[in-house]
Amino acid sequence: MPPIPGSGLAKGLAVTLRTMTRKSVTAQYPDVQPELPPRTRGVIGLFEENCTVCMLCARECPDWCIYIDSHKETVPAATPGGRERSRNVLDRFAIDFSLCMYCGICIEVCPFDALFWSPEFEYAETDIHELTHERDKLREWMWTVPVPPALDAAAEEPKELAAARKAADKLAAAQQAAEAAAAAEAAGDAGTAEGQTPKSEPGEGQQ
């Protein structure tokens, strides 16, 4: 059946009339901040204590907008006769947000949880060069990262937590066993001392 002439115009006018009768709601930004979803991709925060300068984030970044500089330091041997070790020390960690496309690959590939999404988004600049943010600024954004949501009640416990709890339980059991053995040994020594009769001196008991 062919459409009735003018039906499209009538539908459009009906939508317009419905919209005209609704109360408009204006977001009073910036006086009222928007309610952002928990997983909003605003900006990337850096927790540099966890960064080992493995360079995975810089290598995997499709825009090559992460700049990392580091140097090596020698760590003395922890035990006598041990060998010295070397470690990477972070000197610079910067992200050029004029190039970043917010794909989140750097956060996903970080094996030590040093990068996180922050919902902060108010970092516009008048100069494009000021969109390259150094690690001090990235660290400030780290404190705006929201707390992760709780796991589902039926979810499995993370392997890291399970391993840590197993090691803690094993250590606690070993300490309890050592304390019980020490208590039993102390009780045995006390019983032995009570069971011994004092020896009489020569001449005692004689009239």
Side-chain angles (χ1 to χ4, degrees):
M1 180 179 178
I4 301 174
S7 60
L9 177 61
K11 290 180 180 179
L13 290 174
V15 173
T16 303
L17 291 173
R18 286 197 303 269
T19 305
M20 289 175 61
T21 57
R22 294 176 183 172
K23 182 180 178 180
S24 61
V25 179
T26 303
Q28 302 296 331
Y29 177 83
D31 297 330
V32 179
Q33 293 293 320
E35 295 183 3
L36 301 175
R39 299 180 65 184
T40 298
R41 297 187 177 189
V43 73
I44 298 173
L46 170 67
F47 191 58
E48 61 181 87
E49 284 79 3
N50 287 356
C51 182
T52 61
V53 200
C54 65
M55 304 295 291
L56 275 177
C57 56
R59 287 199 299 264
E60 296 297 332
C61 177
D63 294 327
W64 290 87
C65 64
I66 300 177
Y67 311 111
I68 299 176
D69 293 329
S70 65
H71 68 277
K72 288 187 177 294
E73 285 186 355
T74 302
V75 180
T79 57
R83 64 183 182 87
E84 296 180 343
R85 302 180 62 183
S86 63
R87 66 170 183 174
N88 293 321
V89 179
L90 184 67
D91 293 328
R92 184 194 184 201
F93 195 108
I95 299 178
D96 187 353
F97 285 100
S98 66
L99 297 177
C100 179
M101 64 179 185
Y102 305 92
C103 63
I105 293 178
C106 57
I107 297 175
E108 296 295 331
V109 301
C110 180
F112 300 105
D113 291 335
L115 297 173
F116 297 86
W117 279 119
S118 166
E120 295 294 319
F121 61 91
E122 297 174 320
Y123 52 93
E125 302 288 350
T126 57
D127 187 354
I128 193 173
H129 296 93
E130 295 180 1
L131 285 173
T132 301
H133 295 152
E134 301 293 334
R135 66 176 183 175
D136 294 337
K137 185 64 175 178
L138 300 179
R139 184 179 181 84
E140 291 179 9
W141 279 323
M142 181 62 212
W143 311 125
T144 63
V145 174
V147 178
L151 294 177
D152 187 87
E156 293 184 0
E157 187 179 39
K159 295 181 179 179
E160 295 83 1
L161 290 180
R165 183 171 289 105
K166 183 177 180 181
D169 293 343
K170 185 176 180 181
L171 180 61
Q175 290 179 349
Q176 290 179 357
E179 292 175 359
E185 184 177 355
D189 293 342
T192 303
E194 291 177 359
Q196 293 178 351
T197 56
K199 296 181 179 179
S200 59
E201 295 293 333
E204 288 185 358
Q206 296 177 1
Q207 299 296 329

